[in-house]
Amino acid sequence: MLSRRRVKLLLINSNEANAFIALYNDGELIVTYAKEFIEKQEKQPRVKPSDRLIDCLDDVIKKSNDILLSSIDAVAVITGPGSFTGIRVGLSIAKGFADALEKKIIPIDNFILTLNRIGKIETDKTYCIVLPAKLPEYYYRTMSSCREIETGFFFPDEISAKINEKTILVGDFNDESQINVNYFRYIDVQNMKSELDSMTELSLLYFNENKAVDPGEIEPLYIKDFVAKKKQF
């Protein structure tokens, strides 16, 4: 009888609101969040969570004990959209690590990461995933039947022109959100699947589907200067 292959993945999430590095080891997770280091350095000049990802990596290595990082199968990383600085830092760490260990990289789209947090995705529904850019701007992507329709960015008062009454908004609509969701159908992911669980799930799925790529092929998803165009299907 063939034994089941154990999978080890390094996960790098550079989203400023919830930056972390985690080591997935066959069902177990070792994770360190960047905010842990920021809270310890309250008297230091203000820093972004992504600036502490190297500290997170060092901490995960210490926590992993006898797990050799050279034995990981691939590195998963958020490719965007998001903070320009955060995406650059995350990709730099992922590429450096993957190059040094001759591993491949699993690119994780932030829109898909957020949509996956709702759990069951209904293919007959149209979703508009929104992510904070440089407030008050937001990145957005509308999707139907799990396919991209339109991607771009908008100001909160422009949202009505981007969606119709049947579209479901998906995002983290916390107290800092400038979108008045009460006028729309929406799903708030705050109390649903965590970013860590969503990223772990997608990373395993993409790894098993052989979607990991060579470090030189990975590209950031920057859409700030992107002119949205509808795709034809």
Side-chain angles (χ1 to χ4, degrees):
M1 183 177 178
L2 294 175
S3 59
R4 184 174 62 85
R5 183 171 181 270
R6 298 172 68 89
V7 178
K8 296 178 185 175
L9 301 173
L10 185 68
L11 314 179
I12 302 173
N13 183 340
S14 59
N15 285 336
E16 296 293 2
N18 204 30
F20 65 76
I21 285 186
L23 178 63
Y24 173 87
N25 181 29
D26 195 41
E28 296 183 1
L29 277 168
I30 299 171
V31 61
T32 298
Y33 288 88
K35 62 184 178 183
E36 296 175 25
F37 293 95
I38 294 176
E39 290 169 356
K40 292 177 183 177
Q41 300 177 8
E42 293 179 355
K43 296 181 180 180
Q44 298 296 320
R46 181 176 176 81
V47 295
K48 293 183 177 180
S50 59
D51 294 333
R52 290 291 178 260
L53 282 177
I54 291 296
D55 295 321
C56 292
L57 180 59
D58 289 340
D59 195 56
V60 165
I61 292 173
K62 291 175 183 176
K63 291 176 180 177
S64 64
N65 295 321
D66 59 344
I67 299 175
L68 296 176
L69 290 186
S70 59
S71 67
I72 67 169
D73 295 288
V75 180
V77 64
I78 302 293
T79 56
S83 158
F84 285 179
T85 300
I87 297 303
R88 285 198 301 269
V89 170
L91 287 177
S92 294
I93 295 173
K95 287 183 177 182
F97 202 90
D99 275 331
L101 298 179
E102 298 183 337
K103 305 295 181 181
K104 290 193 173 185
I105 295 178
I106 303 169
I108 304 293
D109 184 313
N110 217 356
F111 287 119
I112 304 302
L113 175 75
T114 302
L115 182 61
N116 188 57
R117 291 179 64 183
I118 72 175
K120 184 179 179 181
I121 300 170
E122 299 180 62
T123 56
D124 61 337
K125 297 288 194 301
T126 298
Y127 298 96
C128 179
I129 306 100
V130 294
L131 303 170
K134 187 173 182 180
L135 295 178
E137 291 178 295
Y138 285 82
Y139 300 117
Y140 76 92
R141 176 180 292 168
T142 50
M143 299 183 68
S144 183
S145 300
C146 296
R147 294 188 298 179
E148 177 185 350
I149 299 174
E150 185 175 80
T151 297
F153 61 92
F154 57 54
F155 289 93
D157 59 357
E158 299 173 332
I159 190 170
S160 296
K162 302 294 182 182
I163 64 175
N164 58 42
E165 68 279 0
K166 294 183 179 180
T167 304
I168 302 171
L169 286 179
V170 177
D172 186 342
F173 303 113
N174 56 35
D175 293 338
E176 296 181 3
S177 174
Q178 298 186 26
I179 298 176
N180 189 340
V181 294
N182 295 320
Y183 293 107
F184 308 97
R185 299 175 66 189
Y186 72 95
I187 298 175
D188 192 336
V189 299
Q190 282 190 86
N191 298 314
M192 305 189 82
K193 190 185 302 179
S194 69
E195 278 192 15
L196 175 60
D197 288 342
S198 182
M199 187 172 182
T200 301
E201 186 178 288
L202 289 173
S203 299
L204 284 168
L205 175 65
Y206 294 165
F207 177 77
N208 290 325
E209 292 179 346
N210 296 314
K211 291 184 177 179
V213 300
D214 292 328
E217 298 178 53
I218 203 78
E219 293 289 341
L221 176 55
Y222 293 145
I223 59 174
K224 183 63 178 69
D225 297 319
F226 173 82
V227 178
K229 294 181 180 179
K230 290 186 177 180
K231 292 193 172 184
Q232 302 297 323
F233 295 100

